[in-house]
Amino acid sequence: MTPTPLLLIEDTPSLQMVYETILKSAGHLVHVEDTAQSGLAAFRKLRPPVVLLDLMLPDGDGLDLMTEMLALSPQTCVIVITANGSINKAVKAMRIGAHEFLVKPFDEQKFLNAVDNALLAHGIASNGIASNGTASNGTAQKAAGQPLGAFIGTSPVMQAVYAKITSVARSMATVFITGESGTGKELCAQAVHDLSNRAHGPFIALNCGAIPSDLLESEVFGHLKGSFTGAISEKIGAAAAADGGTLFLDEVCEMDMNLQTKLLRFLQTSTIQPVGATRPRKVNVRILCATNRDPMEAVRRGQFREDLYYRLHVVPIHLPPLRDRGADVMEIATTSLKRFAAEEGRTFTGFEPDVVALLQRHAWPGNVRQLLNVLWNVVVLNDGPLVTRSMLPDEYLRTSEALPRPGPVGPAAAQGLMESLDGQTLAQIEQYAIERAIARHGGSLPKAARELDVSPSTLYRKREAWARPVPPARS
């Protein structure tokens, strides 16, 4: 069977020859054009599944050409090629529909991987033959709109998230995940990895906000024995551990500015240099990152490098807060209740009607993490078959009844709030105050930490402790 033709639009003769030679050597049929006008004409005639497009053309803007091609054939995978100084333009291309972008210079394998990924996303094997739609790791893709990975819920906002994860998974493009704390950013990164061609490789997650800044470089890039005080042995960093797979940098906006510079160099060169090493080494890693902050606000404040932001923020995925997910609240609650009951040997099967109303009405400032914590507490301390109002944790009931939705507290509400805190322990009041501060700042722990005059790592530790209730001794 004849291989599927690819369309290469590149105006530099030497690069035309290089790209064409690489593609033909890999068994691809290639049609080459050197202007926007001739490229569009060839596209209309060939309707190729994959287009390799230089954004700088002599007779037109590559972005305009790409927009016109995608209007004619939305399923086409466009791989844009750009110089290092035009990354912002490549990012814009990704936002308006490009499948992936390559920054010159790039190596042969990266070039071929991008083409193979695009063909697979289009339902074509790398040999040009139509594929059967099976994932590269041998698992069949889930039906459109169904939950991916460990996610639960089929609300419209989450179906849009699942569609975006599925679309971007096979690309090598960096994915920037945003959302309030507790919305499932690591689950999202894991789902992207599991659906990618790197699913067989390692998935390494690193929380940049939970590691002291003076140790973060060693955690990311590793160190040699004796390279600094306390380095009693050699350490392989997260970047090297993720070689051949995916590196997920959670809370990336908390990264020290000096380390941001090194991360940018790593993204541009695919090389790492452990602390104390004299020579860099190559690694093959896909980067996914996440934050519960507004990354552009961090850029404006000078806390996050703008060039690093544009290098990372290629494909954004925003995870909605639980309060915006409608019926997902009860779907998550029911599924998790049954799982916790099985793990703890309980007989819970559901919720009484007033509990259902209470769970659906609550604002869940801690999102899914908070909901799971409440349910685990119920299962550990009680038995079913139905969850009753009296089984819910006292602190949850008090905060839920005092302030069902996060927002400013007026003078009248303040008196009721103070009364609702009567009888609570200091630890319960502290948890309430911290969750309220986080909710006021849109889920940003660093902003809440500044308001509360504590370090972000303190809030991370406390929330992790709240998420791990200790089961009581059983008789």
Side-chain angles (χ1 to χ4, degrees):
M1 185 177 291
T2 304
T4 306
L6 311 178
L7 176 58
L8 169 64
I9 306 175
E10 167 63 63
D11 67 316
T12 305
S14 59
L15 292 178
Q16 277 184 13
M17 183 177 66
V18 170
Y19 299 157
E20 187 176 9
T21 300
I22 292 172
L23 291 169
K24 287 184 175 179
S25 297
H28 297 290
L29 181 65
V30 188
H31 183 93
V32 182
E33 297 293 343
D34 58 2
T35 65
Q37 184 178 358
S38 63
L40 182 59
F43 181 82
R44 291 179 185 274
K45 179 181 178 180
L46 299 171
R47 294 300 173 99
V50 176
V51 176
L52 296 116
L53 174 64
D54 188 351
L55 291 181
M56 305 299 291
L57 296 172
D59 64 334
D61 190 323
L63 289 179
D64 294 337
L65 175 58
M66 185 187 75
T67 301
E68 194 163 354
M69 288 190 295
L70 291 176
L72 292 169
S73 180
Q75 70 272 23
T76 301
C77 292
V78 180
I79 301 172
V80 298
I81 301 172
T82 185
N84 188 50
S86 304
I87 289 179
N88 292 0
K89 198 170 184 180
V91 171
K92 185 177 180 181
M94 294 293 295
R95 289 175 179 168
I96 62 177
H99 178 74
E100 190 167 341
F101 77 85
L102 297 172
V103 180
K104 303 173 186 176
F106 44 80
D107 60 42
E108 177 178 331
Q109 192 56 53
K110 189 171 186 178
F111 183 57
L112 291 175
N113 285 344
V115 173
D116 288 345
N117 288 340
L119 286 169
L120 285 168
H122 202 278
I124 301 170
S126 59
N127 61 4
I129 309 302
S131 74
N132 59 6
T134 301
S136 62
N137 60 1
T139 20
Q141 297 292 325
K142 288 193 177 184
Q146 292 304 303
L148 299 175
F151 279 115
I152 302 171
T154 54
S155 61
V157 289
M158 287 307 294
Q159 288 189 38
V161 170
Y162 303 148
K164 202 161 192 179
I165 291 173
T166 303
S167 176
V168 75
R170 290 186 178 279
S171 168
M172 271 296 289
T174 54
V175 178
F176 204 118
I177 307 165
T178 57
E180 296 178 9
S181 183
T183 51
K185 294 186 288 295
E186 186 167 344
L187 296 183
C188 179
Q190 183 74 60
V192 171
H193 171 76
D194 291 344
L195 289 175
S196 74
N197 295 327
R198 295 172 167 263
H200 64 281
F203 175 82
I204 304 297
L206 191 68
N207 189 327
C208 300
I211 301 172
S213 57
D214 55 337
L215 297 179
L216 193 53
E217 181 178 359
S218 170
E219 291 293 328
V220 177
F221 299 119
H223 64 251
L224 300 184
K225 181 180 179 180
S227 56
F228 55 86
T229 303
I232 59 175
S233 62
E234 183 175 342
K235 177 182 179 63
I236 297 177
D243 196 7
T246 303
L247 174 60
F248 173 52
L249 299 174
D250 198 4
E251 304 304 345
V252 70
C253 287
E254 310 308 314
M255 186 176 285
D256 179 81
M257 290 295 285
N258 181 53
L259 189 55
Q260 289 181 32
T261 304
K262 296 181 179 180
L263 177 60
L264 181 62
R265 188 180 307 121
F266 167 52
L267 292 170
Q268 292 171 336
T269 65
S270 296
T271 61
I272 61 171
Q273 187 163 345
V275 179
T278 57
R279 294 182 180 179
R281 56 163 289 197
K282 278 266 187 183
V283 292
N284 179 12
V285 173
R286 182 185 187 180
I287 299 291
L288 309 178
C289 60
T291 182
N292 59 19
R293 299 173 62 178
D294 177 353
M296 272 310 298
E297 178 63 23
V299 171
R300 284 191 289 270
R301 290 176 175 270
Q303 298 166 341
F304 199 69
R305 289 180 61 115
E306 186 173 14
D307 49 2
L308 179 58
Y309 168 79
Y310 285 117
R311 188 64 183 82
L312 291 172
H313 203 267
V314 177
V315 180
I317 296 180
H318 179 72
L319 296 180
L322 186 56
R323 60 184 173 273
D324 292 343
R325 293 177 56 181
D328 284 357
V329 173
M330 288 314 302
E331 191 173 346
I332 295 168
T334 301
T335 302
S336 302
L337 178 70
K338 292 177 180 178
R339 176 168 63 88
F340 291 150
E343 291 174 356
E344 298 293 337
R346 305 304 202 202
T347 61
F348 284 106
T349 59
F351 304 85
E352 288 194 344
D354 62 332
V355 175
V356 172
L358 193 61
L359 296 179
Q360 290 177 324
R361 188 174 69 242
H362 192 61
W364 300 112
N367 293 294
V368 178
R369 183 186 293 119
Q370 183 187 8
L371 174 58
L372 297 182
N373 189 30
V374 169
L375 294 175
W376 196 6
N377 181 288
V378 168
V379 172
V380 166
L381 298 176
N382 305 276
D383 203 355
L386 297 180
V387 176
T388 65
R389 186 186 186 92
S390 63
M391 294 178 183
L392 295 172
D394 290 341
E395 60 269 25
Y396 165 75
L397 285 172
R398 289 193 180 100
T399 56
S400 180
E401 292 166 354
L403 291 170
R405 289 278 171 182
V409 180
Q415 180 63 33
L417 172 60
M418 295 304 295
E419 291 175 358
S420 73
L421 297 177
D422 290 346
Q424 292 198 55
T425 67
L426 183 60
Q428 291 169 338
I429 295 172
E430 178 189 58
Q431 181 177 356
Y432 174 79
I434 289 174
E435 294 290 0
R436 286 285 305 160
I438 293 169
R440 278 195 299 277
H441 292 287
S444 172
L445 270 71
K447 289 181 181 178
R450 283 194 290 273
E451 177 188 315
L452 297 171
D453 196 24
V454 296
S455 69
S457 60
T458 297
L459 300 191
Y460 280 111
R461 286 195 301 271
K462 287 184 178 295
R463 296 193 96 195
E464 287 175 1
W466 298 334
R468 294 193 301 270
V470 179
R474 290 183 182 161
S475 56

